[in-house]
Amino acid sequence: MSDAPPPNKRQKRTEKSDSELPKKKFYRQRAHANPFSDHSLTYPKSPKSMDWGTLFPAFVRKEQTASDTSTEEQENRRAQDNGAGSDVDGFAGMTKHVEVADIGCGYGGLLFALSAKTPETLILGLEIRTSVTEFVQEKIKALRSQNQGSGLYQNISCIRANTMKFLPNFFPARSLSKIFLCFPDPHFKARKPKARIVSGTLCSEYAYVMRPGGVVYTITDVQDLHEWMVGHFAEHPGFERVSEEETEADECVAIMKGETEEGKKVERNGGKKFVALFRRAEDPPWP
Amino acid sequence: MQHPYQCICVCHPVGGDGSGMLLAASGPKISSVNLQNGSIVSSWPDEESSPAHETRETSTPEGPPGKKRKIAQSTETKPNVIQLTTSHDHKHVIAATGEDKCIRVFAIDPTGQLTQLSERYNESLLYRGLELTMPRCMPKRPCAIAVTPDNQTVILGDKHGDVYSLPLLPEDKDPSQLVPERAEAAPRKAFVPAATNLTVHTGRNLKALEAQQKQKDLHAKTKEPPKFESTLLLGHVSMLTDLLLATVVPDEPNAKPRNYILTSDRDEHIRVSRGLPQTHVIEGYCLGHTEFVSKLCIVNDRLLVSGGGNDWLGVWDWVRGELEMKLDLKDLLVAVRQDGLIPRTSDASLRDASDTVAVSGLWACHMAHPHESQLLIALEGVPALFHVPISQLVAQYQCRPDLEYTALPGNLLDIAIHTPVSATSAEHLSSLNEVSLIVSVDNMHALGSTSQPRSEPTSQRLLSLPLCKDPEVKRWGIDERSTALLEAANSAEGPERGGKGVAALCYGVETLRKRGGGKEEEEEG
Ligand SMILES: C[S@@+](CC[C@H](N)C(=O)[O-])C[C@H]1O[C@@H](n2cnc3c(N)ncnc32)[C@H](O)[C@@H]1O
């Protein structure tokens, strides 16, 4: 099947105005996308060629925008930043760099909930399914448009990406302080361990894009997947498990449990939620 | 018709006379050729183990227990050699074979005799002078191999993107005592589907779960873990294309040398990881290719050259992950075409070399003053050897690099750099000016084509290109006299092969290109 949604869907989607929220029913898509196939993905050659300004226009450095487009809100924001730009490689021209990634963000429940919690932190959702990504993008657009005065929802964005292949194309080394892996697809076929979003070798890539001290958040309702993820992160020398007390006290955990679409679904069905957090360790000294 | 030599390398066996041996793989067969007199010293699998011979052996009821049957395969079913390399101490030869996904280690004696080493304790079998035993078979097809500087470990990358380490020489252990260490195996317990309705939300998931449960028992019976020691070091979720080991002495005073593993994939990545034992640390990436990366070559210390589906080579400061320069290949290909090296044709089945570039080989050929070290380049399906002085591959080099080519009588397949060593020590001669290249060319396909057969097939598959004595002449030229020394290898009967199998074995690079319009399976969820 082609990448583009059927024409009737397209039409219904475009009929809405900018500030009107998208309807989920027009953006549904088959649950599983093959992480190995080429798709028709677009991704930057490297983080340096990533156009962050389009995703987070309110965080573009002043010199970069024409004076007439800069709103009062943006100026306020920049004043807070003391004019300092992001010094993270790959975020030249931005006042901030993306610090939080929601991998496999689905319909974006977590993004929308986190946005208001940390309005000064840039959060990016990454989702492999086109229509689902479009839904989140439309919803962000509508919410930004509805909240022009307050400047809410400027700090979240969503892109289509296969994170299992292209994470280092988007994020420079040590740039993220949080990665969320919420209710990843369980991939029941045990024969395809590489299809899972967590594996020993992928942990190395998560460690690469995270700064030491950063935290990976995982939640699932599938106990065996939970154990699988815990096993791989705990065994990986780049991570250590966060203690239970600290996990319970982390407010992102509550959001992850209560605000993700999957979290709500599990709640309705009376299922269990397994949570595990892992802190990115310092790299060991060279031997 | 003889099969081309798809992989070649030069080895200087310890205790040899210093003239070196050429190891050349033709289909499933590896031969060692004495470079002093041109004689073929040994071949593997042994000539004598012809199918008829083997059948007779194994049908003898009172003969040795069916051990030999394992090697009694006809040439047609014998696995083709896809990688061939030597250990740094030149004591061992390592070969990877495709169809059976195996890695084989041979000992090479001073005369060039190859001996495949025992995999299993006490099960080695002396057979016509060759110790034949079990190869180590990997879960996926190996696609790149390297040996660590201490010659203890083989690092192997497979088609599914995983990189493993294996001891070069398996320990004398009972294989049943070995617990394979593979991070992809479930860490604590096997990943068994959680069979509660609460955790399965969709009909699709439920179906997958049912299928999985049915499959489970069957699966448990069919797949056993590898019976040898191997450790998963790192992995790409992509097809791995090349792998290199590198060592750098950091600038800081008193810093110890640092080991790295460089890996490339079909999704345009070049990854720089720490070497053993810290391979879980990714140090960086060299990003900039917009097509697959197929070959990596470290030309000096911190300078890496990469090539693939782009019509340029990347020259990188790989420790910093910075692209220093792009070396354009397109103009040169146009020149090759204009020079008539690749016949013009309207036949669309001939891959048009001016349209696509697929880098199939990169080699650093180091030479001493007054000669200049060169980067050698092979492009898939192109009958020419490209070369450029390495000193010009720096960002500061103001002029256009002197990228030139030497025409060849067949598409270039592989190159072995032959630097004679002194007979007494394994040290290279103080003068590197005796370097010569042994080049393998395709004798079956038309010049410039990876599919069209030649109108007149030839047996000439190996050529010798000594360096011109005059340092001003930076070209390589085919030398009749030294090529004549390769006569025995050129006329050796190879396995009979159809053109299709040969093309698949010799020309796999262009197939890495993404065909565009990759489809996403999209359905109602
Ligand atoms: C079960 S959903 C969970 C969605 C969301 N996190 C939540 O909790 O509601 C898993 C999501 O991961 C996405 N996904 C799977 N593999 C992915 C990959 N390699 N890269 C990006 N997203 C992926 C799927 O398309 C799907 O939307």
Side-chain angles (χ1 to χ4, degrees), chain B residues 324-325 327 372 388-403 474:
Chain B
E324 294 278 304
M325 67 176 286
L327 181 69
E372 274 197 278
V388 63
I390 288 170
S391 61
Q392 296 178 4
L393 301 179
V394 284
Q396 307 89 280
Y397 191 72
Q398 295 298 318
C399 312
R400 220 182 146 87
D402 301 321
L403 182 58
K474 292 180 185 121

Side-chain angles (χ1 to χ4, degrees), chain A residues 104-106 127-129 161-164 182-183 185 260-262:
Chain A
C105 67
E127 170 54 54
I128 200 168
R129 290 182 292 167
N162 179 356
T163 60
M164 291 169 69
C182 299
F183 300 97
D185 297 327
T260 54
E261 275 77 12
E262 287 298 322

